Amino acid sequence: MRVSIELVPRNEGDLVRQLDEVRSHLPQVDTINLPDIHRFDMRSWDGCAVAKGWVRHVIPHIRAIDIDPSAPLAMAGALKEIGVEEVVVISGDVPVDMSRTVYGTSTLEVICKVREELPGVRIYAALDPYRQGFQAELRYAYQKLEAGASGLFTQPFFDLRLMEVYADLLPNTDIFWGFTSVTSQRSMRYWQTRNLAVFPAGFEPNLAWCRALAHSALDIIRSQNGNVYFMPIRVGIGDYLGGLI
């Protein structure tokens, strides 16, 4: 079982602080995945260059809508220089103010492009259990795998029963199952409205509930020889995951 921690690369100082937390509380974790968020100056691959000093494996996110289909991958040189061996390709949200150039490039196109221009890099695609029905999401997942993705990174799950259904429907697929901390009613509403998440009966938006979910998820994923990533939000990394991994 591989365990990755998702850290947001806002700037170098903040990222170093988070990496120090991971090293202090989760020294056995050797993988960091980093989203690419336009409102921050640091791009995901720039964050990988920093994180490489702390962990062996770094996995940047690449947003399909940022990729010009008619030009070489702009970050290819940086990924090679850093020694990145894995990436996650996601569709990406259109920026609200449209201050940056975006394209209509699809995730499938970018997976093919990364496969062609970075042949030694392992590609993961996204699986979102909440955005559409089972059939449509599974069909989309298989299209990504057929395009060249080697595995999947999921959006965070809040219900282990749903995770096990997807595990049954995607046998023999290399999956990083995602989990995050939801510790307020406001955060819970965000996941419900923005990401269409469905919370199970009895869900409580507090750290104790999220730690219990993480503990149970680790037991299941370990028994299936799967992988997992955790996204700490508004909580200390040690408070969320200390003693669990």
Side-chain angles (χ1 to χ4, degrees):
M1 182 179 69
R2 293 181 63 188
V3 179
S4 180
I5 306 298
E6 181 167 308
L7 301 180
V8 177
R10 296 176 176 84
N11 55 65
E12 184 171 349
D14 185 72
L15 180 56
V16 166
R17 178 190 61 77
Q18 295 180 84
L19 289 164
D20 279 337
E21 276 194 80
V22 173
R23 176 181 285 176
S24 296
H25 299 287
L26 309 169
Q28 59 275 70
V29 169
D30 69 351
T31 304
I32 300 293
N33 63 284
L34 299 102
D36 193 44
I37 301 177
H38 275 181
R39 69 176 183 273
F40 302 126
D41 293 333
M42 180 173 276
R43 305 304 297 268
S44 61
W45 43 94
D46 297 327
C48 286
V50 176
K52 262 286 193 176
W54 271 258
V55 294
R56 179 180 177 184
H57 304 289
V58 291
I59 308 177
H61 295 201
I62 295 175
R63 293 161 31 106
I65 63 171
D66 295 335
I67 303 302
D68 182 349
S70 64
L73 288 168
M75 74 292 294
L79 297 178
K80 291 177 182 177
E81 183 177 350
I82 297 164
V84 168
E85 299 175 340
E86 302 167 286
V87 300
V88 178
V89 175
I90 64 170
S91 57
D93 295 326
V94 177
V96 176
D97 60 1
M98 294 301 292
S99 60
R100 293 177 182 264
T101 302
V102 295
Y103 304 88
T105 320
S106 72
T107 301
L108 299 177
E109 290 176 294
V110 175
I111 290 171
C112 293
K113 195 171 181 63
V114 172
R115 185 188 63 193
E116 293 170 1
E117 297 185 30
L118 297 167
V121 172
R122 186 175 181 83
I123 305 167
Y124 292 94
L127 183 143
D128 189 334
Y130 300 111
R131 66 180 154 193
Q132 57 187 343
F134 280 112
Q135 286 189 338
E137 189 62 20
L138 286 169
R139 187 182 308 114
Y140 194 21
Y142 279 117
Q143 288 174 339
K144 294 171 184 177
L145 294 170
E146 289 168 2
S150 299
L152 303 169
F153 258 70
T154 78
Q155 276 278 64
F157 278 83
F158 301 102
D159 191 328
L160 296 180
R161 296 168 299 179
L162 182 59
M163 184 194 79
E164 291 183 294
V165 169
Y166 270 99
D168 287 341
L169 294 171
L170 289 161
N172 306 314
T173 304
D174 185 9
I175 300 177
F176 274 86
W177 303 97
F179 296 89
T180 190
S181 51
V182 175
T183 56
S184 69
Q185 289 288 345
R186 180 179 180 181
S187 178
M188 185 175 175
R189 287 194 297 272
Y190 169 86
W191 283 99
Q192 289 171 319
T193 56
R194 181 66 180 270
N195 296 302
L196 306 179
V198 177
F199 291 86
F203 176 83
E204 297 178 11
N206 58 52
L207 186 58
W209 204 99
C210 294
R211 275 180 60 85
L213 179 65
H215 183 273
S216 298
L218 283 166
D219 286 343
I220 294 171
I221 294 166
R222 188 178 291 112
S223 71
Q224 298 175 346
N225 295 316
N227 306 312
V228 64
Y229 81 92
F230 292 102
M231 183 195 304
I233 297 179
R234 298 188 183 280
V235 294
I237 291 171
D239 294 334
Y240 178 25
L241 299 170
L244 296 181
I245 300 173

